[in-house]
Amino acid sequence: MKGICKIAGLAGMLAISILNTTSPQISIAAPMSMVSGDEALQRVRKLTMEIPWYTSLSKAQAIAQKENKPIFMLHMLGPLNGMT
Amino acid sequence: MSLSQEPVFSELKNKFVCTSKDITNEPYCGKSGRHAPTGKGISTTNGAGPHNLQLFVLAPDGTVLHCLPGYWAPQDLVHELKLAEDLFTVWKNPQLSRGQKNQMFKQMQLSHLNEHPTDMVRRSRMQGFDQKFEAKNRPYQSDTVKNPQLAVQALAQNNNKLLAQAFKTTDQIAHERMAQRPFVPYSQFDVAVYTDYGKQRYEKNEDFRDMSGQLVMNPKTGEAIPPGQRKMQKRSGVQNFQGGRMRRMRNNMLSNGSL
């Protein structure tokens, strides 16, 4: 009985891990989650093409002032769409 | 890149004006290998790589509302963006004095910690190599260490599990440090001090791994590693809470077809 419970528990864990692969809430924490080069490129393209990224802080400030929005500023090693 | 993932992508697109800065030549910048846009990515923990990546939220006048060091998972980052929006509301409120605003800033930063979901806290474990760096170099000085004696003991015993218990999580470190920096102008924000934990170099060698995360090439020589000599990267963050023995049992049962 104890063994059966253990197996059921493991099956449950497996089910959760399968669910995790489809749940954006949890998938990021999946063990050793790798993203292929093609997928990474698609993500960078989406980020840089669908959101305007200002390279000048003063320009971003002017837009933010006009639209009454906060500014999200990304500090990163290398350019957003290039070698990092 | 987590910023292209929901729910954070829509938040950024709709509620923020976005700007980026290449910090390569800044004195506080850390080191990393070179990564092409077509290079592989690997999941990591919140706050990993604090010297190489910082996520700021500013008011239009350049006041820092929030700053997160390193990588943050999208579902956790969105919580922090909400806090930044709330702090923006406080900053704009003409009814509040500067002293009241500062007090609210501090309170909101610290109380936000209590609102973090358990999963977020688990995703915020400091990287093991960063913990070792702190335990080795400044266990009694670093504000990242919860229990300095335990950190020293764990390092001497090379006990990673014990070492993790000696450290604060990165979400706690970030909020405690931000609480000490209420509404600071961006031009005066001490990035070097704020992001100061762990090693200067952050490298996961993603391009030398297969899609299971296993190192298949030697990062130093570029030579293929024979299958029998390959090692998985040490699991970190959430993975450590899942129990190695259970995981091995599950994997064994999966591989021998009994599950």
Side-chain angles (χ1 to χ4, degrees):
Chain A
M1 184 64 188
K2 196 175 174 184
I4 292 169
C5 289
K6 191 170 273 185
I7 290 168
L10 290 170
M13 281 173 64
L14 178 63
I16 289 168
S17 70
I18 291 167
L19 282 174
N20 283 355
T21 61
T22 58
S23 163
Q25 288 295 314
I26 310 170
S27 60
I28 194 74
M32 299 304 298
S33 173
M34 294 288 295
V35 175
S36 70
D38 285 345
E39 174 68 18
L41 182 61
Q42 289 302 317
R43 290 184 182 191
V44 170
R45 280 189 180 153
K46 178 184 174 186
L47 186 69
T48 54
M49 293 176 79
E50 293 185 31
I51 294 179
W53 288 85
Y54 298 96
T55 50
S56 152
L57 176 57
S58 56
K59 175 75 176 169
Q61 285 181 264
I63 302 287
Q65 193 75 54
K66 192 176 164 188
E67 298 183 2
N68 192 27
K69 286 181 177 175
I71 298 164
F72 179 81
M73 186 180 201
L74 177 64
H75 274 197
M76 64 182 291
L77 196 56
L80 190 56
N81 57 357
M83 294 285 285
T84 63
Chain B
M1 181 175 284
S2 63
L3 302 181
S4 62
Q5 303 299 290
E6 294 296 356
V8 80
F9 179 78
S10 295
E11 283 287 306
L12 290 181
K13 189 175 179 180
N14 299 323
K15 297 183 180 174
F16 292 83
V17 174
C18 296
T19 180
S20 66
K21 179 180 176 180
D22 181 355
I23 58 168
T24 304
N25 296 319
E26 295 293 338
Y28 53 80
C29 182
K31 294 171 185 168
S32 168
R34 288 179 72 75
H35 300 276
T38 51
K40 289 177 190 163
I42 190 169
S43 65
T44 188
T45 51
N46 290 337
H51 310 286
N52 298 345
L53 182 68
Q54 294 98 35
L55 313 174
F56 278 89
V57 181
L58 311 176
D61 64 3
T63 301
V64 178
L65 303 169
H66 204 4
C67 178
L68 294 167
Y71 166 91
W72 288 75
Q75 64 270 46
D76 301 330
L77 179 55
V78 83
H79 275 293
E80 301 298 324
L81 292 179
K82 179 71 177 68
L83 171 65
E85 287 179 89
D86 292 343
L87 288 166
F88 183 38
T89 304
V90 171
W91 181 238
K92 288 187 297 185
N93 188 340
Q95 310 296 323
L96 297 170
S97 69
R98 179 59 196 262
Q100 287 171 317
K101 288 178 182 178
N102 285 2
Q103 190 60 32
M104 287 182 75
F105 184 100
K106 187 175 180 179
Q107 282 172 357
M108 287 166 73
Q109 286 283 353
L110 295 177
S111 64
H112 198 259
L113 264 175
N114 301 325
E115 298 167 22
H116 288 185
T118 309
D119 282 346
M120 179 176 178
V121 177
R122 288 177 177 173
R123 281 188 288 268
S124 303
R125 188 193 145 185
M126 190 190 289
Q127 292 281 307
F129 52 79
D130 285 336
Q131 290 176 343
K132 284 180 180 168
F133 178 89
E134 295 292 326
K136 183 180 176 187
N137 294 292
R138 47 190 178 186
Y140 292 94
Q141 293 82 34
S142 174
D143 67 342
T144 67
V145 183
K146 202 162 49 179
N147 185 335
Q149 286 161 328
L150 185 62
V152 171
Q153 182 193 342
L155 187 68
Q157 294 173 359
N158 200 22
N159 185 333
N160 292 343
K161 215 169 186 176
L162 205 58
L163 189 63
Q165 291 171 24
F167 277 81
K168 296 177 187 173
T169 50
T170 51
D171 58 336
Q172 183 179 357
I173 296 164
H175 281 297
E176 286 180 356
R177 289 186 178 181
M178 275 310 300
Q180 295 168 6
R181 294 163 171 82
F183 297 119
V184 174
Y186 171 71
S187 58
Q188 294 171 24
F189 195 88
D190 49 347
V191 184
V193 178
Y194 180 74
T195 61
D196 186 20
Y197 62 79
K199 294 173 73 174
Q200 285 292 317
R201 185 174 182 82
Y202 180 81
E203 183 58 66
K204 291 275 189 182
N205 297 309
E206 295 93 330
D207 289 331
F208 298 94
R209 297 178 185 278
D210 64 14
M211 289 306 289
S212 72
Q214 195 170 47
L215 267 177
V216 292
M217 289 170 72
N218 185 324
K220 288 179 183 167
T221 64
E223 292 172 359
I225 301 172
Q229 296 173 24
R230 291 175 186 172
K231 291 178 185 172
M232 287 294 288
Q233 178 188 301
K234 272 190 173 177
R235 293 172 182 272
S236 61
V238 149
Q239 300 117 26
N240 279 343
F241 292 84
Q242 293 178 336
R245 196 175 63 153
M246 292 291 277
R247 191 175 52 239
R248 281 194 298 275
M249 283 174 64
R250 182 188 64 185
N251 290 343
N252 288 340
M253 292 174 81
L254 279 171
S255 61
N256 66 26
S258 60
L259 189 63

